[in-house]
Amino acid sequence: MATRTDAPTRREQILKEAARLFAERGFHGVGVDEIGAAVGISGPGLYRHFPGKDAMLAELLVGISGQLLTGAKQRLKEVDGAAPEVVLDSLLEGHIDFALDDRPLITLHDRELDRLRDSDRKLVRQLQRQYVELWVGVVRALYPDLAEPAVRSAVHSVFGLLNSTPHLARPGSLPGRATTAALLHRMARGAFAAAGSD
């Protein structure tokens, strides 16, 4: 989801590989030696960056929730004053980027969220609630006659659609990133339109 063009730091490399490995084999199916080997350092060398696997998992899951929220707030600032359709399209573009570019984190969240310490899990949930509320406000502006519970349900349903990307197909077998992004965008807009037509 990052838009930086400079090389990732060692810490970022470790997190990326940890996310990939945890998503492929599960948190308990991966050792620190394997994560270290994936980034070219010894397993014990990882401890210079993280106290352990639990810390990596927490940083991954808390981190992506925070990034989604921060990114959505930034998008809302950039389109401030625009028509509600434009604002919703901007939020959709940001979430679709996440859904296509960070597929291992979606899998990781689905499988491993319960492994976080209570405080980290609560923080993830808090960030996610704030993210949902941003969307609810935007969708309500676009469909003012739709009751708030229905809007909230529609937002969660669209997240379910977009976050299904790890289950769509193996990487490389989708019709291409731009085509897939456009399809997801149309489907999400269609879901909101259907909810708003009741």
Side-chain angles (χ1 to χ4, degrees), residues 139 142-147 150 154 189-198:
V139 175
L142 185 56
Y143 300 104
D145 294 333
L146 192 58
R189 283 300 301 268
F192 284 129
S197 66
D198 287 346

Side-chain angles (χ1 to χ4, degrees), residues 3-40:
T3 57
R4 289 180 10 180
T5 55
D6 51 326
T9 65
R10 176 65 81 183
R11 187 178 181 85
E12 291 167 339
Q13 291 171 346
I14 292 167
L15 287 172
K16 181 178 179 181
E17 289 304 315
R20 180 183 65 80
L21 291 167
F22 292 160
E24 286 176 2
R25 299 205 301 268
F27 180 74
H28 288 304
V30 178
V32 291
D33 290 337
E34 294 169 274
I35 298 168
V39 294

Side-chain angles (χ1 to χ4, degrees), residues 53-64:
K53 287 195 317 178
D54 290 337
M56 290 180 214
L57 181 64
E59 186 157 332
L60 285 165
L61 295 182
V62 172
I64 194 57

Side-chain angles (χ1 to χ4, degrees), residues 1-3 63-79 87 90-95 98 131 134-135:
M1 195 170 109
T3 57
I64 194 57
S65 296
Q67 288 173 35
L68 282 169
L69 178 60
T70 300
K73 287 179 177 178
Q74 182 60 40
R75 285 177 173 275
L76 291 180
K77 281 183 188 174
E78 290 169 0
V79 295
V87 179
S90 182
L91 286 181
L92 281 169
E93 288 165 11
H95 198 99
F98 158 69
Y131 183 63
L134 290 179
W135 280 73

Side-chain angles (χ1 to χ4, degrees), residues 74-142:
Q74 182 60 40
R75 285 177 173 275
L76 291 180
K77 281 183 188 174
E78 290 169 0
V79 295
D80 186 37
E85 294 90 349
V86 172
V87 179
L88 180 57
D89 284 342
S90 182
L91 286 181
L92 281 169
E93 288 165 11
H95 198 99
I96 288 168
D97 284 346
F98 158 69
L100 292 176
D101 298 339
D102 292 310
R103 291 165 71 178
L105 287 174
I106 296 171
T107 300
L108 197 58
H109 179 277
D110 289 346
R111 287 188 196 157
E112 310 290 356
L113 182 63
D114 288 343
R115 297 195 190 285
L116 292 181
R117 293 179 311 175
D118 285 345
S119 59
D120 290 327
R121 189 168 53 252
K122 286 177 183 175
L123 180 54
V124 168
R125 294 298 192 201
Q126 178 187 22
L127 293 167
Q128 290 173 339
R129 280 192 298 273
Q130 292 175 45
Y131 183 63
V132 167
E133 291 311 307
L134 290 179
W135 280 73
V136 167
V138 170
V139 175
R140 288 198 81 193
L142 185 56

